[in-house]
Amino acid sequence: MKVALWILIFLGTFSTMEFMAWFTHKYVMHGFLWSLHRDHHKKDHDSWFERNDAFFIFYAVVSMICFYLGAETTFWYGWPLGLGILAYGIAYFLVHDIFIHQRFKMFRNANNWYARGVRRAHKIHHKHLGKQDGECFGMLVVPFKYFKK
């Protein structure tokens, strides 16, 4: 029973992270912390790193806190929570930074319907250079219209 609950918490956390990514992107990154996210929309820097990378660090710290609490307290569900956040972070990094923005030259030839839809939605998001008038704030789940030809 505990294994099933563990898996359920992990999958629920991973799924909830898509909402958290959308919410954080729309209301925090394009809101009061635009100063950290702006360099991701306007390449006004020469560094490989972006101020925007601070958001990865925040969720990594949350994940590590969950691991710590799961190991050092009776908060046993810290482990599946931390793993769900970590797994989403890995998926986000693979899709957003590697596949879409090509920070590492991998997955360039991916061209299935899902890959094209996610790329199209992200391209629409980046056509807005300011913090206003944005659309497509999610990452792994994007509106169906971007999967149509």
Side-chain angles (χ1 to χ4, degrees):
M1 178 63 182
K2 194 170 184 180
V3 172
L5 188 55
W6 227 82
I7 292 169
L8 199 64
I9 293 170
F10 168 80
L11 293 174
T13 302
F14 184 91
S15 300
T16 300
M17 285 304 296
E18 176 67 13
F19 168 76
M20 289 303 299
W22 172 86
F23 182 87
T24 303
H25 193 180
K26 183 169 182 157
Y27 295 107
V28 177
M29 294 177 180
H30 282 256
F32 66 94
L33 286 180
W34 174 249
S35 60
L36 292 177
H37 187 60
R38 176 181 40 236
D39 69 340
H40 182 65
H41 282 265
K42 298 177 185 176
K43 296 296 178 193
D44 60 353
H45 56 88
D46 293 326
S47 174
W48 184 80
F49 290 100
E50 299 176 346
R51 290 180 298 275
N52 184 63
D53 294 333
F55 295 104
F56 280 123
I57 294 167
F58 171 78
Y59 282 110
V61 168
V62 172
S63 181
M64 288 187 285
I65 289 169
C66 289
F67 288 137
Y68 175 78
L69 292 173
E72 299 295 324
T73 70
T74 59
F75 188 71
W76 64 266
Y77 42 93
W79 281 101
L81 286 171
L83 284 171
I85 295 168
L86 173 64
Y88 186 84
I90 291 168
Y92 191 97
F93 180 73
L94 289 171
V95 171
H96 182 261
D97 286 338
I98 295 178
F99 172 66
I100 293 173
H101 288 290
Q102 291 290 302
R103 284 175 94 172
F104 298 100
K105 305 302 180 204
M106 299 167 58
F107 309 128
R108 293 178 130 183
N109 298 326
N111 199 25
N112 61 55
W113 70 272
Y114 178 75
R116 285 190 306 272
V118 168
R119 247 195 230 119
R120 207 173 283 131
H122 204 74
K123 185 176 275 194
I124 293 299
H125 176 74
H126 275 271
K127 82 175 187 178
H128 303 285
L129 297 179
K131 74 181 204 175
Q132 306 300 331
D133 302 321
E135 56 183 291
C136 299
F137 292 96
M139 177 49 51
L140 301 178
V141 179
V142 298
F144 186 70
K145 68 182 179 179
Y146 297 106
F147 296 106
K148 297 177 184 175
K149 289 195 178 206

